[in-house]
Amino acid sequence: EAPPLPVPVPVPVIEAPMHDELPPEPVVYGDVLVRIRNNLSLPQVEHQRVEREIEWLQRNPDYVARVFGRAQRYLHHIMHEVEARGLPGDLALLPVVESAFNPFAYSRSHASGLWQFIPGTGERYGLKRNYWQDQRRDVVESTRAALEFLDQLQQRFNGDWFLAIAAYNYGPGNVQRAINRNLALRRRTDFFSLSLPAETRAYVPKLIALAKIIRDPAAYGFYLPPIPDAPYFRVVPTDGPADLRLMAELAGVDTEELLALNPAWNRWITDPDGPHRMLIPEVVADGFTTQLAALDANGRARLGEHSVVAGESLASIAGRYKVPETFIDQVNAGKRADLQPGDVLLVPAGDVSQLRAGLGSDLERRVYRVRNGDSLWTISRRHGMTVSQLARLNGISTSAVLQPGQRLQVSGAAATAGATTTKVAASGKVDYKVKRGDTLSGIARRFAVTV
């Protein structure tokens, strides 16, 4: 039988020799799971839906082991943020339900990251999403946004955390309509009395089941190895764009470890507009910081030089190095106009492709040359955009008259000839047509599943 997890041991308070008493020292935990256990505050519920979820976890102990293995990178930070906001410790377990602590998880409803934000909600809570990054996957920013959202939801539902958590999954408007239906029928309006979709009906019981297991693992036949209640990573400023492969080399970790801590980035180089910081494993952070300080801005971003030749433009140079024109413009301090042969521009010295297949592909921008008979409507339809999106992307009016030969920026979502779209079946599965060069591991990473 596995030994029980240790209980927190309070640090002894030393009485001051003066009349003013010192405030008590905080409780120190060696295991973040013990810290969560001591902050569980949601109601303990006995319900058949909860029992079904516990039984499923008991039948799948390997799943539990994998999830909490991945959680080691993130759980201390999440619990620290939960506690700092005075929220129930149970919420630190919500990423188990949402993403199984996979920061690259992507759902058929286009939700992404540990906390599974859909694009609209992520934008509402300040999560940037562009060619370079998707902060729905950012460990620090998505945690902030999720806890803000959850706190606002519990206020909206008068402190009923079960309704708030259901609304996080199903949407507050949908949950409110379910409540209103029950009110009209003079029925109870607690979570377990509402008519909700199957996914949401199981969503809250999954969290309650996890909290029960964390409260007393041995009672349910689990042994959960301790997770150190100490920072796993340090946030290190980079003072500008940085090449992730170089950052991994400086830290002395493999790229998969670095990407697990910095999953928001779509490209091997970070956004010129920031945030200019990197999450680095705490055990190597001191050495990393020292080596990073020895590099100048060009060295951090692994930039090289390009000599302009006759006939080249900013657009053609950006296309050659596979970056947006704005990147060349930004790293060269605005040398956008009047390029002359012999001018020297800073450009990426290495490959600036996606760091994982599929990341940010819907936000890639490509150049389309207008042909006779084209209109904003026909071009936008061809590239899976609306007229207003196309016009906004190019800074023109929706009624603008196009000229043959004119260059327009278009979305990458449907710009590639023969691109295969994925159709979601009722079962939740998708059909994917294999392309030349595909591998099982590449396809698995694209859809956030195992081989």
Side-chain angles (χ1 to χ4, degrees):
E1 182 178 346
L5 291 171
V7 295
V9 179
V11 174
V13 178
I14 302 173
E15 292 187 4
M18 304 184 64
H19 293 295
D20 295 333
E21 291 187 5
L22 290 175
E25 293 284 345
V27 176
V28 175
Y29 304 98
D31 179 4
V32 71
L33 297 177
V34 176
R35 185 177 181 182
I36 293 172
R37 179 182 305 149
N38 281 269
N39 284 274
L40 295 174
S41 60
L42 295 187
Q44 296 189 56
V45 176
E46 301 297 331
H47 195 280
Q48 61 181 2
R49 290 191 221 164
V50 176
E51 293 305 315
R52 279 200 297 267
E53 297 302 331
I54 291 174
E55 290 167 4
W56 188 91
L57 292 169
Q58 289 173 322
R59 291 195 303 272
N60 294 274
D62 291 347
Y63 167 83
V64 176
R66 285 197 306 274
V67 167
F68 283 100
R70 286 195 291 263
Q72 292 187 52
R73 293 187 180 98
Y74 318 111
L75 203 49
H76 168 82
H77 172 76
I78 290 173
M79 185 56 204
H80 177 80
E81 295 300 307
V82 167
E83 202 170 40
R85 289 169 169 77
L87 302 176
D90 315 57
L91 299 183
L93 303 172
L94 199 56
V96 178
V97 182
E98 283 289 351
S99 63
F101 272 107
N102 174 8
F104 291 100
Y106 188 78
S107 78
R108 61 182 182 272
S109 59
H110 309 296
S112 187
L114 292 174
W115 296 92
Q116 290 289 280
F117 275 97
I118 59 173
T121 308
E123 184 176 344
R124 197 177 312 132
Y125 284 88
L127 301 179
K128 291 170 66 174
R129 183 169 171 262
N130 57 31
Y131 173 88
W132 300 102
Q133 64 180 310
D134 187 341
Q135 287 191 332
R136 295 179 299 160
R137 299 192 304 266
D138 186 284
V139 175
V140 173
E141 285 300 309
S142 67
T143 298
R144 169 200 58 77
L147 297 182
E148 285 180 8
F149 186 25
L150 284 161
D151 194 21
Q152 290 176 11
L153 287 172
Q154 68 88 16
Q155 293 177 45
R156 173 170 179 168
F157 291 101
N158 301 314
D160 190 318
W161 274 106
F162 290 163
L163 293 178
I165 294 164
Y168 186 89
N169 173 258
Y170 187 40
N174 291 330
V175 171
Q176 187 61 58
R177 281 188 283 275
I179 291 171
N180 293 343
R181 283 195 298 269
N182 275 24
L183 286 172
L185 296 170
R186 296 187 177 181
R187 294 176 181 172
R188 296 175 60 177
T189 58
D190 62 282
F191 166 77
F192 288 97
S193 299
L194 298 180
S195 176
L196 299 166
E199 179 184 314
T200 308
R201 288 201 305 272
Y203 185 81
V204 175
K206 285 178 181 177
L207 183 64
I208 298 171
L210 284 164
K212 282 177 173 286
I213 289 170
I214 293 296
R215 194 181 298 275
D216 192 356
Y220 297 97
F222 286 96
Y223 169 65
L224 302 177
I227 297 176
D229 190 23
Y232 185 91
F233 58 79
R234 185 187 304 178
V235 180
V236 180
T238 60
D239 300 322
D243 184 288
L244 274 77
R245 289 157 295 199
L246 176 60
M247 299 300 103
E249 291 172 17
L250 296 183
V253 299
D254 60 38
T255 54
E256 283 302 309
E257 172 66 16
L258 191 75
L259 299 186
L261 291 176
N262 299 274
W265 301 115
N266 294 330
R267 305 279 149 182
W268 281 108
I269 192 170
T270 62
D271 191 341
D273 287 332
H276 299 310
R277 45 99 165 142
M278 196 70 57
L279 272 56
I280 300 296
E282 179 64 39
V283 293
V284 296
D286 287 339
F288 172 84
T289 304
T290 300
Q291 294 189 71
L292 185 67
L295 297 176
D296 63 12
N298 295 346
R300 288 190 297 268
R302 268 187 175 163
L303 297 178
E305 294 183 343
H306 173 88
S307 294
V308 178
V309 298
E312 284 190 318
S313 65
L314 201 70
S316 66
I317 295 169
R320 175 175 176 176
Y321 292 97
K322 299 179 181 178
V323 292
E325 291 179 49
T326 52
F327 176 82
I328 302 293
D329 191 44
Q330 285 173 297
V331 298
N332 288 279
K335 294 182 183 177
R336 187 179 184 89
D338 302 323
L339 282 182
Q340 301 295 324
D343 285 350
V344 177
L345 294 177
L346 293 172
V347 294
D351 181 21
V352 191
S353 59
Q354 296 167 349
L355 60 86
R356 283 190 176 215
L359 292 186
S361 59
D362 59 326
L363 291 165
E364 289 182 9
R365 294 178 183 180
R366 296 181 175 89
V367 175
Y368 176 79
R369 190 185 293 272
V370 177
R371 298 191 292 266
N372 283 326
D374 277 341
S375 67
L376 285 177
W377 184 82
T378 59
I379 296 170
S380 62
R381 187 177 182 186
R382 185 178 302 138
H383 294 277
M385 309 169 68
T386 65
V387 170
S388 60
Q389 287 172 333
L390 180 60
R392 187 166 60 248
L393 187 62
N394 289 276
I396 58 177
S397 165
T398 54
S399 58
V401 177
L402 303 180
Q403 300 297 324
Q406 182 178 349
R407 291 173 178 268
L408 293 177
Q409 293 280 337
V410 294
S411 166
T416 303
T420 302
T421 57
T422 54
K423 293 182 67 177
V424 180
S427 63
K429 297 178 181 179
V430 298
D431 290 328
Y432 175 77
K433 189 172 184 178
V434 175
K435 297 189 289 290
R436 187 178 300 278
D438 273 346
T439 63
L440 282 178
S441 59
I443 297 169
R445 281 197 302 273
R446 178 171 186 168
F447 293 99
V449 296
T450 64
V451 170

